Amino acid sequence: MNSDTAVSTGCPFCGTGCALSVSCIPKGYKVKGDADNPSTQGDLCFKPIQMATALDTGRLQTPLYRRDKNDPFTPIGWDEAIIILADAIRSLPKEALYLYLSGQLLSEESYLFTKLFKGYIGTNNVDANSRLCMASAVVAHKMAFGSDGPVGNYRDIDDADVILISGSNPAWAHPVIFRRILARKKAHPQTLILTIDPICTETAEKSDHWIALNSGSDTMLYNALFAELYRRGSCDTDFIHRATEGFELTLAEAKNTPFDEAIAACGVSPENARILLDAFGSDKKIVGLWCQGLNQAEDGVMRNLGFINLFLATGRLNATKGLPLSLTGQPNAMGGREAGYLSNALPGYRDVRNTQDRITCESHWKLSEGKILPQPGITITDAIDQIHAGEIRLLWVACTNPLLTLPDLNRTRSALENPDLFLVVQDCVLSETVQLANLVLPTHAWGEKEGSMTNSERFIKRVRPFKSPIEGAKSDTEIILLTAKALGFEGFDYPDIQSVYDDYKQLSAHRLCDQSDQKYTTLSYQWGGERLYQDERFATPSHKAQFHPVVSTAPKIELEHFVLLTGRTKKQWHTMTRTGLVPELLKSEEKPYLLMNAAEAEALGIQEGESVLLSNELDALQLDVRFGLLAPRHVFAPFGYPQVPVNSLIAVKNDPFSFQSALKSAYVSISRLSK
């Protein structure tokens, strides 16, 4: 790339989807925000700026192979690596194969994986790490509106009167969105920022009100507000009758617990409950944002629906009164969902259980009718169980690190170490999962490959290379195409990424996520327009939005245990395989920690900075204590540190609708270390 040429591309981190402009400079690369992009308008955070300094650090540069996981790796050539992979796939029945993908893959890559496995190989045993972060939001959107897809867009923040953040810390996880929130507050000081969270996060600290609640009581809070809004006459009955169904049953369920009793069980103060009621009972524009605090739960779908119910009940699904806007965790989790990479999905927001959806994809891929199976594949946590049972015998992991992100990591490790499992890992760096592999396929990284991504507001942008690929690695796309060819499949003769996109976009035609009229060379597009369902015609069979009764829950706080909340830190990204190599991003975040209320720590004789043992029936970990402000009997620890894998304390407890794991509600004990 010429030093005076700036390349427009996209950030590889959170689902905000910042557009970037990258230029060569004498000592590396200069990363700026792309001001021409209408979605993020030139803003960006520090992670991509610093990441450009370490693009070649710790990279894998040759395929590695070993038959026995106890043996050392042997470097091999690409031809041999592809033959080994294809032979392993051919040697097993298709129900013994499993593919685990990532929201960091580009849409074209996810599409090709979906086409290869669900179409040509004929197994739906495909899932993605979106199962750990966005699956509950996906199911809730489908139940309420008939389709996946966040309703609003970032511009709704710019004229919001109230910004309600529930179960999310965008100051850390979506910093550009949070800066946009603060900019609205600065320009319009009357704007009210409300944060519902068990932790007084940086987001909560900078809000007008931190509304503390007990973890797991979200549905009870939403139901209490729903019923009280109705009692006050604050529901939008015209909208409810005109555009929705299911209100009466939902209201009856919400009324089951008296308001004062429900609020007390949630740990929410009467004053904070009044603030929420006054906001929803007004004509003010409310933008509701949420993320993993609602999604990563045993009742994650119910939490999502309870939050959405408040907006439906008050007619907030438009530019005037506001709307709910789900925040996406990973940079291309939206694009992956559009491409069909979850275990039940097909491209264009289709479903394997729908006969016409299967026929459409089979016809497009020139496959015989019936090739795509009608039963969803198993999800990733069930796949771990089936590895232990000897049912899954080949696991192909691409661009993710399940050895640190899945729950019950000791059981996960023992599954990946299973000598009868052939583990293939496709990645650009030596992750913890790579170290357990039989076959390692080194890939191009951010800055070296091209394609497209979709962000939290449904905006699609091009991702372009700005540096030469590292020697010895191949792009994810090339690896998929070579494998398909080695398996003898026709239909994978794509000369370039544009041809992949042009093939993929045809399956989006006439779907909610339609991008079929877009040109790859100029791709910069928000599918669905600024807001979905502006005509109040929804993707449900009746074309009406659906209320769903939500069962109230509020777990009792156990005085002998603490509730462990998990999440990531401000500067690091997931399991630190890339950001952990950048000294500037490690500053003040070199070590994991345990955040506790000072009074609760001191009652146990624990001082700030002291090491403690955090334990339950699954594992025990040593962490240094920091003091913070949390709801009573709650603690927090970041999950991404390989030396202290916090998810080893998290049992496998999944939502019954989305099968997303509850990563924020483990019970733990805390004890001082013997001196």
Side-chain angles (χ1 to χ4, degrees):
M1 190 176 79
N2 295 328
S3 60
D4 59 348
T5 302
V7 173
S8 295
T9 187
C11 180
F13 295 113
C14 78
T16 301
C18 293
L20 309 177
S21 177
V22 183
S23 304
C24 284
I25 57 176
K27 294 185 179 180
Y29 304 94
K30 183 177 182 180
V31 180
K32 301 189 299 182
D34 183 355
D36 293 331
N37 183 274
S39 180
T40 53
Q41 302 175 348
D43 204 357
L44 78 167
C45 78
F46 43 79
K47 284 192 289 295
I49 296 174
Q50 299 296 342
M51 192 64 225
T53 66
L55 290 175
D56 291 338
T57 305
R59 295 289 300 278
L60 295 167
Q61 293 186 255
T62 186
L64 304 172
Y65 175 65
R66 57 187 175 186
R67 185 183 298 274
D68 189 316
K69 294 188 177 76
N70 294 315
D71 292 339
F73 282 118
T74 298
I76 59 174
W78 272 106
D79 289 346
E80 184 180 0
I82 297 299
I83 290 171
I84 289 171
L85 175 56
D87 286 348
I89 291 172
R90 269 194 296 259
S91 70
L92 293 169
K94 60 187 180 182
E95 59 270 19
L97 308 174
Y98 201 88
L99 177 65
Y100 188 50
L101 303 176
S102 168
Q104 295 171 71
L105 290 168
L106 303 179
S107 296
E108 294 77 9
E109 297 159 356
S110 294
Y111 171 71
L112 289 175
F113 269 127
T114 301
K115 179 178 178 178
L116 174 62
F117 258 65
K118 295 180 180 180
Y120 279 71
I121 292 175
T123 176
N124 294 328
N125 280 348
V126 180
D127 209 8
N129 55 18
S130 284
R131 184 68 58 189
L132 303 176
C133 63
M134 298 309 300
S136 289
V138 170
V139 173
H141 279 111
K142 292 170 74 172
M143 291 174 69
F145 307 119
S147 175
D148 189 10
V151 177
N153 68 91
Y154 302 158
R155 281 159 285 187
D156 283 305
I157 295 169
D158 300 338
D159 64 352
D161 301 306
V162 179
I163 299 167
L164 175 61
I165 303 162
S166 189
S168 177
N169 182 15
W172 284 15
H174 299 87
V176 168
I177 290 176
F178 192 63
R179 282 210 291 268
R180 197 158 182 166
I181 292 169
L182 296 181
R184 169 60 180 169
K185 178 72 173 179
K186 183 177 181 180
H188 193 269
Q190 297 91 338
T191 303
L192 199 61
I193 304 174
L194 309 175
T195 295
I196 305 173
D197 203 300
I199 311 172
C200 188
T201 60
E202 182 178 334
T203 298
E205 290 173 355
K206 294 181 178 179
S207 299
D208 293 286
H209 298 280
W210 170 44
I211 301 173
L213 85 165
N214 297 328
S215 178
S217 64
D218 306 75
T219 53
M220 181 164 283
L221 172 62
Y222 302 147
N223 270 351
L225 296 173
F226 187 99
E228 186 65 11
L229 286 167
Y230 177 79
R231 190 188 69 79
R232 291 185 175 195
S234 297
C235 292
D236 188 337
T237 54
D238 287 343
F239 174 79
I240 290 167
H241 292 149
R242 181 179 70 246
T244 74
E245 294 175 333
F247 178 79
E248 296 298 335
L249 287 175
T250 303
L251 177 62
E253 181 65 43
K255 286 181 173 179
N256 278 338
T257 305
F259 180 77
D260 291 342
E261 179 184 328
I263 294 302
C266 294
V268 173
S269 70
E271 172 63 17
N272 280 338
R274 182 192 63 77
I275 290 168
L276 289 168
L277 287 168
D278 288 349
F280 276 104
S282 72
D283 289 329
K284 294 178 178 179
K285 178 173 180 176
I286 303 176
V287 174
L289 307 173
W290 78 96
C291 202
Q292 308 308 359
L294 303 193
N295 297 342
Q296 291 176 337
E298 285 184 84
D299 61 346
V301 171
M302 290 294 107
R303 293 187 192 190
N304 275 258
L305 289 171
F307 193 68
I308 291 170
N309 282 344
L310 294 175
F311 288 82
L312 291 178
T314 55
R316 287 187 161 87
L317 214 66
N318 52 59
T320 303
K321 293 185 67 178
L323 37 69
L325 176 59
S326 166
L327 297 178
T328 306
Q330 296 185 84
N332 199 37
M334 278 294 301
R337 284 141 59 183
E338 294 158 21
Y341 74 171
L342 292 176
S343 58
N344 64 293
L346 290 169
Y349 281 162
R350 290 181 172 84
D351 196 297
V352 299
R353 292 166 290 194
N354 184 291
T355 300
Q356 187 55 54
D357 287 352
R358 295 195 305 275
I359 291 173
T360 297
C361 291
E362 288 163 346
S363 175
H364 183 70
W365 292 335
K366 297 179 173 56
L367 298 172
S368 60
E369 190 171 319
K371 181 65 174 179
I372 299 174
L373 298 180
Q375 301 84 20
I378 59 173
T379 60
I380 183 59
T381 50
D382 286 339
I384 295 298
D385 290 340
Q386 289 209 12
I387 292 170
H388 280 287
E391 301 294 326
I392 297 294
R393 296 174 59 194
L394 184 148
L395 173 62
W396 184 354
V397 176
C399 198
T400 187
N401 190 15
L403 191 54
L404 281 185
T405 55
L406 289 180
D408 196 351
L409 290 182
N410 289 325
R411 181 170 173 78
T412 299
R413 173 177 282 276
S414 66
L416 300 187
E417 290 177 336
N418 188 326
D420 294 327
L421 175 73
F422 190 81
L423 178 60
V424 182
V425 184
Q426 183 169 316
D427 211 330
C428 61
V429 291
L430 187 67
S431 71
E432 287 70 28
T433 304
V434 166
Q435 295 175 47
L436 299 183
N438 297 94
L439 179 64
V440 179
L441 305 175
T443 66
H444 295 174
W446 173 63
E448 299 170 353
K449 59 182 182 175
E450 67 168 305
S452 62
M453 298 196 301
T454 310
N455 72 1
S456 287
E457 65 165 3
R458 298 171 279 103
F459 193 92
I460 307 171
K461 63 180 175 302
R462 284 277 308 279
V463 175
R464 297 174 173 87
F466 54 83
K467 68 182 292 290
S468 298
I470 198 162
E471 184 179 354
K474 288 189 181 296
S475 70
D476 294 278
T477 293
E478 189 175 4
I479 293 169
I480 301 165
L481 299 183
L482 287 171
T483 303
K485 181 178 180 181
L487 289 168
F489 296 141
E490 298 179 358
F492 290 85
D493 296 323
Y494 298 97
D496 51 29
I497 296 297
Q498 178 173 340
S499 63
V500 179
Y501 177 78
D502 288 343
D503 181 37
Y504 158 58
K505 75 177 184 180
Q506 294 178 56
L507 282 174
S508 74
H510 312 300
R511 307 294 294 177
L512 188 69
C513 56
D514 194 338
Q515 52 193 278
S516 59
D517 62 349
Q518 297 302 299
K519 293 183 178 180
Y520 179 74
T521 53
T522 57
L523 188 59
S524 180
Y525 177 65
Q526 185 177 41
W527 62 256
E530 288 191 1
R531 295 166 198 88
L532 301 180
Y533 317 119
Q534 294 188 68
D535 59 357
E536 295 184 356
R537 183 178 175 85
F538 299 90
T540 59
S542 66
H543 300 299
K544 291 190 175 185
Q546 303 293 306
F547 284 97
H548 288 275
V550 171
V551 178
S552 293
T553 56
K556 293 182 179 180
I557 300 300
E558 300 182 9
L559 295 180
E560 66 272 23
H561 293 113
F562 289 83
V563 178
L564 173 63
L565 306 169
T566 64
R568 65 179 181 84
T569 60
K570 185 173 185 175
K571 299 177 184 178
Q572 289 301 306
W573 175 251
H574 287 186
T575 63
M576 305 171 63
T577 54
R578 291 179 295 172
T579 53
L581 303 174
V582 183
E584 291 82 359
L585 294 177
L586 275 175
K587 289 178 180 177
S588 77
E589 295 189 3
E590 295 89 349
K591 293 178 60 178
Y593 59 90
L594 181 69
L595 192 70
M596 296 185 69
N597 283 314
E600 292 173 344
E602 290 166 358
L604 296 174
I606 297 169
Q607 302 299 313
E608 188 165 24
E610 183 177 349
S611 292
V612 298
L613 196 67
L614 191 69
S615 63
N616 59 19
E617 68 280 3
L618 293 177
D619 207 350
L621 301 173
Q622 184 175 326
L623 288 160
D624 293 346
V625 170
R626 294 183 189 176
F627 289 166
L629 190 59
L630 307 92
R633 308 301 292 180
H634 290 68
V635 294
F636 168 84
F639 75 87
Y641 290 81
Q643 66 271 37
V644 186
V646 169
N647 279 15
S648 67
L649 297 167
I650 309 295
V652 180
K653 296 180 180 179
N654 294 341
D655 180 281
F657 301 99
S658 68
F659 310 108
Q660 182 165 347
S661 294
L663 299 178
K664 298 185 183 295
S665 56
Y667 286 103
V668 293
S669 298
I670 301 171
S671 56
R672 300 183 69 193
L673 295 173
S674 301
K675 293 186 177 180

